Amino acid sequence: MTDTQARQLRLPTPGCYTDPQRSGLTADDLFDSVTGHLFYTLGKLAPVATRHDAYLALSYAVRDRLMTRYLAGVEAISASPRRVVAYLSAEFLIGPQLGNNLLMLGIQNEAAEAMRRFGIESLEEVLEVEEEPGLGNGGLGRLAACYLESLASLEIPATGYGIRYEFGIFDQLVRDGWQVEITDKWLKGGWPWELPRPDQACTVGFGGHTETYRDGQGCLRVRWVPEQLAVGIPHDVPVLGYRVNTCDRLRLWKAEASESFDFYAFNIGDYYGAVEEKVGSENLTKVLYPNDGTGEGRRLRLKQQHFFVSCSLQDMVRSLDARQLPISEFPDHWAVQLNDTHPSIAVAELMRLLIDEKQLGWDQAWDITTRSLSYTNHTLLPEALEKWGLDLFSSLLPRHLELIFEINRRFLQTVRMKYPGNEQILRRVSIIAEDGEKAVRMANLATVGSHHVNGVAALHSELVRTELFPDYAAIWPEKFLNVTNGVTPRRWIALANPLLRSLLDETISADWVRDLDLLKELERFQHDSAFLERWGQMKLAVKRRLTNYVHQATGLLVDPATMFDVQVKRIHEYKRQHLNALQVIVQYLRIKHGLAEGQAPRTVIFGGKAAPGYYMAKLIIRLLNGIADTVNADPDMDGRLRVIFLADYNVKLGERVYPASDLSEQISTAGLEASGTGNMKFAMNGALTIGTLDGANVEIREQVGEENFFLFGRTTDGIEDLRQQGYRPWEWVSGMPELAEALRLIDQGHFSNGDTELFKPLVENLTGRDPFYVLADFTDYLRAQDAVSAAWADREHWNRMSLLNSARTGFFSSDRSIREYAERIWKVKPFPVTISCAIEGVESP
């Protein structure tokens, strides 16, 4: 036997690796593994290790355990190829990883015991050190993260594809009431969860020109000659399922220059020119969502989208080549989901790879593309349905524009045959917008190139069919369907709300974590006074945890016995934080005027970030903080009203806020919120919803019961009727004296230290145009808030409503959503991974 053969025999295979220091799940195993990583990975001795050192060492120890499962999965897929889900998303708001992975492995207690042996009394001290990856902006990215976790928990092979933003969504400070953005340096302390794979880099082109040539068979072909090249380096993040061996991955692409240093430029004194290509290429993945208010910002955003989509599709094609599988089988091995319009360039890029690189004919390439891609629409707002001017598009992606023109030509020809002589429908469905500046309509491209298009809530999907894409729905009625969003109960109950988790484990069994429909068993306690009291006490204990954080973050003391009335989400006019602000001012005025009898004592909590270039949203933040300053400084408000703005709202803060909330504000203008997922997290944790019939609110109300939901506001039809009649918001003010007084206080500078100009744009917007119908819904909103106060007065009744909200939210598990995608769109099935030598603490399926 040769030395090489001997070494190969000694190498453990991924499916049989039971070294306790790398895979064992006991406290002893973790202690030994952490000690080893402190010494060998970090170069530290335990007595001088900091909390950050402990976090890194424990994270590396946990990652070792994920690798056993991940590599076993890779091995299994290689041995038995099957269809894998590729989830393409510009955002993955995955949140802190250590606590979640401890939960997935079932070793939270063991990790806490290991840390105590290092003199760290609470595991929370270590978890608090972790920086949150800034890879998303809000609901879109958080949904993608929930879906990856559910895919793994349901044992479905999957890869999430996205961008490794060096500086993600900004960190938010509040200074003098204004939002201030600072750089999110989430990588500064090192991030132990990623595995760089430079050997699997991909090259992506931009600009240049195309040229024709004849291939070896004499067929006319097109060659793209890019002017600029960037290299995509994949960084893999393991995504473990709950108490299973399936460990999927999130593959994030980092941009580097194809040539990072020009020696000639350096030697002649052009020091910037020597690194110009490196700087330009690496800017591709510097920042999440560059400001598209400038030409350069729009250019960079389109480059970002093409960069990560091209890298991802090249990676999929390469996986077939590595296994010597024919490219014609691409749809049999990859189900590619486009998460909103950002990755929709995938239609043209996959066609380019198939036609130009793999030398396929058009019809075969189009068949492969349309059998592989599916598209999720997340919004009806025009500004989110991206359009790129032809000048910009042709300068960056000339070959793709040629392909899009041909896709459009062939598609419109089929439409002409179905609707002869109807030029209007051709203009409406064309991928190229002809009105005004000619542009590529990316949502149209995604719709034409996908085998399914889904909305994300029943109402939203209906509006997609009837208002956004009615012509497409008439052409392809079978293509459109609904998959209501969901959220993972592992992070949003089991991890975020350990007190509720303990109560559910004791009352129902721990199986609810895998099957959220089991929460229905709580309904048998709805008339049990003792249990309802216990439910209320559990909720109070959770709220105390949040009050401690509020005091630490803001210096304000908050009474946990007050109602926690919460609106936390991205700041946007259609989400109507200013509607909430107006009702808070009315509550304030009622107390000042001695008219607050029956009004529930409240702590009103706001949180969320405004896009840096969105002035009106930033002005709303300033108003919220102005109201908070005024209310909290007034002794008349003590014990009756507090207003809090929590800065830098993110996943980690959400894990504190959702469990502690009593009332969930879901008050967007009807027809504009696609679904929402925060509404689901609130309800799962026992918060009651006050909301409009918008997005998933409709289905939440259906599930929990209309008697356990505070409904207000106009429906989508009501809004449309008002628009058709000619909405004049100023006429509504005179008939609502409380609203008029609230607006007058704002206008007179009561919440801006006497500055009567500060909020004038906001007041004039509301009373002049009111594009989101704030004033039209105000009276009914106030009525619903009075109903909330009345319900709060009967605490047993409130606790019953809270209990039933939790009990009836099983439908909103992301596991249900993923099962629907798997069965109706992707056509994939679970593929359990067996680890041949069982690891202690985890049973092989």
Side-chain angles (χ1 to χ4, degrees):
M1 180 184 297
T2 67
D3 290 344
T4 300
Q5 290 172 326
R7 284 197 299 272
Q8 289 174 341
L9 284 176
R10 288 198 297 271
L11 284 174
T13 64
C16 185
Y17 192 13
T18 55
D19 176 3
Q21 188 168 327
R22 295 289 187 180
S23 59
L25 301 179
T26 68
D28 288 342
D29 296 331
L30 287 174
F31 176 78
D32 290 342
S33 190
V34 170
T35 301
H37 278 295
L38 279 173
F39 192 88
Y40 291 108
T41 306
L42 302 178
K44 291 287 185 76
L45 297 173
V48 297
T50 65
R51 291 292 183 270
H52 189 263
D53 295 330
Y55 155 71
L56 287 174
L58 179 57
S59 296
Y60 284 124
V62 171
R63 195 184 77 176
D64 290 343
R65 283 131 185 91
L66 303 190
M67 285 299 98
T68 300
R69 292 154 180 80
Y70 171 71
L71 292 173
V74 171
E75 194 177 54
I77 292 289
S78 297
S80 180
R82 60 200 55 244
R83 203 172 203 211
V84 176
V85 175
Y87 199 85
L88 272 62
S89 180
E91 298 184 34
F92 284 96
L93 199 59
I94 59 176
Q97 293 294 287
L98 177 55
N100 196 65
N101 283 322
L102 291 173
L103 173 69
M104 294 296 160
L105 289 166
I107 56 172
Q108 290 169 299
N109 293 334
E110 290 79 0
E113 172 58 30
M115 289 297 98
R116 280 193 288 271
R117 298 182 190 180
F118 288 102
I120 300 172
E121 291 304 312
S122 171
L123 180 61
E124 194 72 22
E125 296 178 44
V126 178
L127 298 178
E128 277 300 307
V129 171
E130 183 169 8
E131 286 281 342
E132 181 170 325
L135 301 172
N137 182 43
L140 183 76
R142 187 52 236 168
L143 179 78
C146 284
Y147 279 1
L148 280 190
E149 192 261 74
S150 279
L151 280 161
S153 292
L154 295 175
E155 302 181 286
I156 296 173
T159 293
Y161 283 107
I163 300 176
R164 183 185 181 270
Y165 301 103
E166 183 178 346
F167 306 115
I169 186 65
F170 58 86
D171 287 339
Q172 180 194 56
L173 299 179
V174 174
R175 292 178 180 158
D176 299 323
W178 290 99
Q179 169 179 293
V180 176
E181 303 96 22
I182 62 172
T183 304
D184 174 17
K185 300 177 182 178
W186 66 279
L187 287 166
K188 65 180 183 293
W191 198 50
W193 301 105
E194 63 180 2
L195 294 162
R197 307 284 197 187
D199 58 310
Q200 297 178 32
C202 294
T203 301
V204 180
F206 300 99
H209 64 277
T210 63
E211 56 190 31
T212 58
Y213 70 99
R214 292 198 178 273
D215 64 18
Q217 287 72 44
C219 297
L220 190 66
R221 296 286 179 182
V222 177
R223 179 188 296 117
W224 178 25
V225 183
E227 179 183 20
Q228 178 191 359
L229 296 175
V231 176
I233 308 296
H235 290 64
D236 289 348
V237 182
V239 180
L240 182 65
Y242 181 73
R243 304 309 307 275
V244 295
N245 292 329
T246 298
C247 186
D248 290 333
R249 68 175 178 181
L250 170 59
R251 173 156 280 195
L252 302 170
W253 297 98
K254 176 187 177 184
E256 293 187 358
S258 57
E259 293 292 338
S260 60
F261 191 78
D262 185 338
F263 273 103
Y264 176 76
F266 184 83
N267 287 334
I268 64 173
D270 184 4
Y271 302 124
Y272 175 77
V275 294
E276 184 177 7
E277 185 176 349
K278 173 181 172 64
V279 171
S281 294
E282 293 181 359
N283 277 343
L284 277 173
T285 54
K286 284 287 184 187
V287 180
L288 170 70
Y289 292 159
N291 186 349
D292 60 1
T294 66
E296 282 304 308
R298 288 178 60 77
R299 187 177 184 86
L300 179 55
R301 183 177 286 205
L302 178 55
K303 289 180 73 172
Q304 278 188 341
Q305 293 175 6
H306 172 61
F307 168 76
F308 99 85
V309 167
S310 179
C311 286
S312 303
L313 290 172
Q314 289 183 58
D315 194 49
M316 295 176 224
V317 170
R318 180 173 55 195
S319 75
L320 268 63
D321 294 341
R323 291 176 285 170
Q324 299 182 324
L325 296 169
I327 193 64
S328 59
E329 294 184 7
F330 186 95
D332 301 323
H333 295 277
W334 289 102
V336 184
Q337 187 68 37
L338 311 179
N339 191 32
D340 215 4
T341 55
H342 311 113
S344 54
I345 190 63
V347 177
E349 173 64 3
L350 185 52
M351 287 292 287
R352 185 191 70 81
L353 291 171
L354 296 173
I355 293 173
D356 295 355
E357 303 295 329
K358 293 298 182 178
Q359 306 282 286
L360 299 186
W362 182 278
D363 291 341
Q364 186 181 14
W366 186 244
D367 177 68
I368 290 171
T369 297
T370 55
R371 286 169 52 212
S372 302
L373 305 181
S374 49
Y375 162 50
T376 300
N377 173 275
H378 281 278
T379 183
L380 303 173
L381 295 176
E383 62 265 27
L385 299 173
E386 292 179 312
K387 294 195 300 184
W388 301 108
L390 295 192
D391 288 344
L392 170 62
F393 207 99
S394 62
S395 70
L396 280 178
L397 303 171
R399 178 57 177 149
H400 298 73
L401 188 58
E402 291 176 355
L403 291 166
I404 289 170
F405 282 153
E406 182 62 15
I407 292 168
N408 197 45
R409 186 190 70 79
R410 292 176 181 238
F411 166 61
L412 292 182
Q413 187 58 32
T414 65
V415 177
R416 285 189 186 95
M417 289 188 288
K418 187 176 180 67
Y419 301 99
N422 189 339
E423 291 299 316
Q424 289 303 311
I425 194 172
L426 293 177
R427 296 180 72 86
R428 292 195 299 267
V429 301
S430 175
I431 297 170
I432 306 300
E434 302 284 352
D435 300 325
E437 180 193 13
K438 290 187 177 182
V440 180
R441 298 192 281 204
M442 303 306 286
N444 291 27
L445 177 63
T447 301
V448 171
S450 297
H451 56 80
H452 282 91
V453 177
N454 72 281
V456 291
L459 174 62
H460 171 244
S461 294
E462 180 62 22
L463 294 174
V464 167
R465 283 192 297 266
T466 60
E467 294 188 8
L468 185 62
F469 296 136
D471 298 312
Y472 289 119
I475 296 167
W476 296 302
E478 73 286 351
K479 181 178 283 195
F480 290 82
L481 49 78
N482 173 62
V483 181
T484 299
N485 283 347
V487 299
T488 169
R490 267 78 62 179
R491 181 177 288 275
W492 295 112
I493 302 178
L495 183 63
N497 199 345
L499 293 180
L500 176 56
R501 176 190 178 186
S502 296
L503 182 58
L504 295 175
D505 287 353
E506 175 189 335
T507 307
I508 297 173
S509 87
D511 292 339
W512 67 267
V513 182
R514 299 176 189 266
D515 181 4
L516 204 62
D517 285 333
L518 292 177
L519 292 186
K520 289 181 179 177
E521 294 185 24
L522 285 173
E523 291 194 34
R524 72 178 188 267
F525 298 102
Q526 62 180 298
H527 300 298
D528 184 332
S529 297
F531 188 84
L532 292 175
E533 173 64 22
R534 186 179 176 192
W535 183 271
Q537 290 301 313
M538 177 271 297
K539 192 75 173 181
L540 183 63
V542 175
K543 291 166 70 176
R544 288 195 179 100
R545 177 172 175 253
L546 180 58
T547 61
N548 292 336
Y549 174 82
V550 169
H551 181 61
Q552 176 186 345
T554 69
L556 293 170
L557 294 173
V558 172
D559 183 357
T562 60
M563 179 200 301
F564 281 14
D565 177 354
V566 182
Q567 188 177 18
V568 287
K569 55 183 66 208
R570 181 166 51 93
I571 309 297
H572 196 291
E573 288 171 273
Y574 89 84
K575 295 177 183 289
R576 302 202 294 189
Q577 284 90 351
H578 44 344
L579 173 59
N580 195 353
L582 288 171
Q583 76 87 16
V584 171
I585 295 172
V586 169
Q587 305 284 2
Y588 164 77
L589 287 170
R590 287 178 177 178
I591 295 172
K592 296 298 288 184
H593 297 331
L595 301 173
E597 183 177 353
Q599 185 172 303
R602 300 191 189 211
T603 298
V604 184
I605 299 173
F606 294 94
K609 297 177 181 179
Y614 190 176
Y615 173 73
M616 194 61 73
K618 297 175 87 167
L619 192 59
I620 289 172
I621 290 177
R622 178 63 183 86
L623 175 62
L624 298 176
N625 282 289
I627 294 170
D629 291 343
T630 302
V631 167
N632 298 337
D634 191 333
D636 292 342
M637 301 298 119
D638 289 348
R640 308 180 80 175
L641 185 63
R642 277 282 180 272
V643 181
I644 309 291
F645 187 90
L646 293 177
D648 204 31
Y649 188 74
N650 55 18
V651 174
K652 187 182 285 190
L653 187 48
E655 290 174 2
R656 299 179 185 275
V657 171
Y658 290 119
S661 302
D662 294 305
L663 185 67
S664 164
E665 298 270 355
Q666 306 299 327
I667 59 177
S668 54
T669 310
L672 294 184
E673 186 72 82
S675 169
T677 52
N679 46 9
M680 303 169 189
K681 298 163 195 168
F682 280 115
M684 282 182 181
N685 283 281
L688 278 59
T689 302
I690 181 170
T692 53
L693 284 178
D694 193 29
N697 289 356
V698 177
E699 289 150 288
I700 290 175
R701 184 169 178 260
E702 290 172 354
Q703 294 289 328
V704 305
E706 61 183 44
E707 69 280 7
N708 301 309
F709 186 107
F710 299 99
L711 178 67
F712 79 95
R714 282 167 170 73
T715 62
T716 52
D717 289 340
I719 293 290
E720 182 58 30
D721 289 344
L722 199 55
R723 183 182 292 114
Q724 293 294 332
Q725 293 165 13
Y727 177 48
R728 293 177 289 276
W730 58 90
E731 295 180 355
W732 294 67
V733 178
S734 59
M736 295 183 283
E738 287 186 309
L739 172 61
E741 188 174 3
L743 289 170
R744 187 163 55 251
L745 279 187
I746 297 172
D747 201 38
Q748 292 175 349
H750 190 75
F751 304 107
S752 51
N753 299 313
D755 186 344
T756 58
E757 296 297 318
L758 181 59
F759 296 124
K760 191 175 289 295
L762 182 57
V763 174
E764 289 178 348
N765 179 267
L766 286 173
T767 57
R769 290 195 315 120
D770 194 14
F772 299 101
Y773 299 88
V774 171
L775 304 190
D777 276 349
F778 182 76
T779 297
D780 202 31
Y781 180 48
L782 210 55
R783 174 204 55 77
Q785 290 286 5
D786 291 340
V788 169
S789 287
W792 181 261
D794 183 346
R795 298 314 303 280
E796 182 170 317
H797 175 58
W798 183 278
N799 289 340
R800 180 178 299 112
M801 296 168 73
S802 171
L803 175 80
L804 291 175
N805 264 265
S806 286
R808 296 172 178 173
T809 51
F811 176 79
F812 300 104
S813 169
S814 50
D815 294 351
R816 186 270 313 155
S817 303
I818 289 300
R819 287 191 185 97
E820 291 189 19
Y821 276 105
E823 294 168 8
R824 301 171 64 195
I825 298 178
W826 302 330
K827 309 301 181 185
V828 295
K829 294 182 179 180
F831 180 57
V833 174
T834 299
I835 297 180
S836 55
C837 296
I839 298 173
E840 184 178 351
V842 174
E843 297 179 2
S844 295

